[in-house]
Amino acid sequence: MSEKSFLDRTMILIGENGINKLKGSHIAVFGLGGVGGYAAEMLVRSGIGKISIIDHDVFDCTNINRQIFALNTTMGFNKCNVVKERLNNINSELEIKSYSLFFNEDNKDKIDFSNVDYCIDAIDSLGSKIALIKMCQSKNIPIISSMGTGFRIDPTMLKVCDIYETKICPMARIMRSLCKKNEIDGLKVVYSGEKPLKAVDNGTDNGDAPRKIIGSMGFVPAAAGILLANTVIREILEI
């Protein structure tokens, strides 16, 4: 009787050929929050053999409502360290490169893009998103980028399309303009066609002076992350 594998059920669906394709693929996930965390988790559970994770932050209690790696036991811990440990606990043979940094134009050369087959952009910063997109395009690395998931509650409104086909989403509107400015002809994105809800609270946090805080629940960020990962997996498998 052969030894069981966590990929046995996946093998039934995509066969040994598919399993080997995923094991030989290297995906980089930029941002490990509500969207990127679920993307990274699903990539590894699907059988991706190599992954790079990039995030500078630590976990905070306000992350628990939507971030898969945020638990009471991980509060204050470096996100990359927590994520690396969990992903290796899913697949002990997984190869992980970890970068605890805030990716931007100034430090982009600190990331080893060699042998990366696909990049997932789950970054919040618009400047960092553009820097990553330009870097990927200069190296002919496919990339898929997440647009805004805050102030939404309906995951069924998410879709995959080109940035220039997006509507409604405020982040996508700004990204369209930035892409035009930077002569980016096309960009695959996951975005929501749901009109953002209005904030009920004024966004004041812990008694500080009022400031804008993005309202969110777990449904849309999680679904967006899963859709990002699903798109990458299907393109690798050509299905």
Side-chain angles (χ1 to χ4, degrees):
M1 185 172 172
S2 61
E3 186 179 348
K4 286 186 177 181
S5 163
F6 83 98
L7 291 173
D8 282 352
R9 298 295 181 99
T10 308
M11 176 86 76
I12 293 169
L13 187 62
I14 65 175
E16 186 174 359
N17 228 18
I19 292 291
N20 290 334
K21 278 186 179 181
L22 296 180
K23 281 185 177 179
S25 297
H26 181 181
I27 314 301
V29 180
F30 289 76
L32 298 172
V35 175
Y38 275 90
E41 173 107 353
M42 293 311 301
L43 288 172
V44 174
R45 288 188 182 274
S46 297
I48 287 295
K50 302 174 186 177
I51 190 169
S52 291
I53 52 174
I54 302 93
D55 200 303
H56 74 294
D57 212 350
V58 298
F59 285 108
D60 176 87
C61 68
T62 61
N63 300 150
I64 292 177
N65 78 323
R66 68 195 183 285
Q67 298 189 17
I68 192 168
F69 304 114
L71 306 167
N72 284 310
T73 53
T74 62
M75 292 302 95
F77 284 89
N78 177 279
K79 285 188 176 182
C80 279
N81 292 344
V82 170
V83 173
K84 183 176 182 180
E85 181 179 0
R86 177 176 168 109
L87 296 183
N88 269 141
N89 205 19
I90 295 170
N91 179 6
S92 60
E93 297 179 357
L94 178 69
E95 295 181 34
I96 302 182
K97 289 185 177 181
S98 176
Y99 301 89
S100 184
L101 57 80
F102 179 83
F103 180 85
N104 57 31
E105 184 69 30
D106 296 330
N107 62 20
K108 62 186 181 182
D109 293 328
K110 293 183 179 180
I111 307 295
D112 181 8
F113 284 90
S114 62
N115 301 315
V116 171
D117 297 299
Y118 216 118
C119 284
I120 287 180
D121 160 31
I123 304 172
D124 292 330
S125 165
L126 295 174
S128 294
K129 291 176 94 68
I130 289 294
L132 176 58
I133 294 161
K134 289 171 66 177
M135 175 65 87
C136 286
Q137 293 197 345
S138 72
K139 295 179 178 295
N140 294 315
I141 300 173
I143 181 171
I144 184 167
S145 183
S146 174
M147 297 294 101
T149 59
F151 290 113
R152 279 92 164 178
I153 200 166
D154 185 357
T156 67
M157 296 294 286
L158 289 164
K159 65 182 294 186
V160 179
C161 68
D162 188 83
I163 184 64
Y164 294 111
E165 297 172 358
T166 57
K167 301 175 182 177
I168 308 294
C169 176
M171 177 184 281
R173 182 176 64 249
I174 298 171
M175 283 296 293
R176 287 197 302 271
S177 177
L178 289 173
C179 284
K180 287 179 183 177
K181 182 179 179 181
N182 287 275
E183 299 181 340
I184 297 168
D185 295 330
L187 172 67
K188 187 169 291 185
V189 301
V190 169
Y191 96 103
S192 173
E194 179 184 5
K195 184 177 179 181
L197 303 176
K198 291 183 179 180
V200 175
D201 195 282
N202 65 8
T204 301
D205 189 29
N206 295 329
D208 294 336
R211 60 189 178 91
K212 186 175 181 181
I213 299 171
I214 304 298
S216 64
M217 291 181 74
F219 308 108
V220 178
I226 292 170
L227 192 50
L228 288 167
N230 175 261
T231 302
V232 172
I233 295 294
R234 289 173 61 190
E235 288 194 24
I236 292 171
L237 297 175
E238 299 179 350
I239 57 176

